[in-house]
Amino acid sequence: QVQLVESGGGLVQAGGSLRLSCAASGFTFSSYAMGWFRQAPGKARAFVAAISESGNIIDYRDSVKGRFTISRDNAKNAVYLQMNSLKPEDTAVYYCAVKGGSYYYTPGRSQEEYDYWGQGTQVTVSS
């Protein structure tokens, strides 16, 4: 079965960095686009970044452009989110997800486009 396991979250001061990892199994990882989403306390889950199956198409929400970098290693069945210049408003539980549907290989911003989700990893940025 499909499994997604996030890691790398933690507590960091504003301006610091974290690198999130998502280990995937149970499907042909190199065929599917992957996404990162986050859910802050009291808020709906929101799109952060997504990457196509080959890594050649990448999309970010505006508020993380220039600070976050999504990447993938298809040989390791893993997707990453490098987060730099972190801000308190980045505090959230971060989830990775695998895209489904007819266009499973291209990035998408809507969580309804994603079929499977990890359990999430907490990122807390202190001011």
Side-chain angles (χ1 to χ4, degrees):
Q1 69 279 20
V2 174
Q3 284 194 319
L4 300 170
V5 181
E6 301 96 336
S7 61
L11 173 64
V12 63
Q13 288 188 332
S17 298
L18 284 173
R19 187 188 192 219
L20 304 184
S21 299
C22 173
S25 61
F27 64 104
T28 307
F29 180 78
S30 59
S31 295
Y32 290 82
M34 298 294 294
W36 284 98
F37 290 75
R38 66 188 182 188
Q39 187 166 21
K43 295 188 177 181
R45 191 158 54 186
F47 170 76
V48 176
I51 187 168
S52 64
E53 91 289 11
S54 64
N56 64 333
I57 303 174
I58 288 174
D59 188 23
Y60 298 99
R61 67 179 295 115
D62 286 347
S63 62
V64 308
K65 286 180 180 176
R67 300 189 298 123
F68 290 12
T69 302
I70 188 172
S71 62
R72 65 188 297 158
D73 185 338
N74 285 345
K76 295 183 177 180
N77 285 4
V79 62
Y80 308 100
L81 187 67
Q82 177 67 45
M83 305 186 295
N84 298 330
S85 302
L86 282 161
K87 304 176 181 180
E89 52 264 41
D90 294 318
T91 295
V93 178
Y94 283 71
Y95 300 90
C96 71
V98 57
K99 194 158 178 281
S102 299
Y103 299 97
Y104 55 87
Y105 47 90
T106 61
R109 291 190 166 208
S110 171
Q111 56 185 314
E112 286 73 27
E113 298 177 86
Y114 291 80
D115 284 348
Y116 296 95
W117 296 80
Q119 82 288 351
T121 187
Q122 176 71 47
V123 172
T124 302
V125 185
S126 62
S127 57

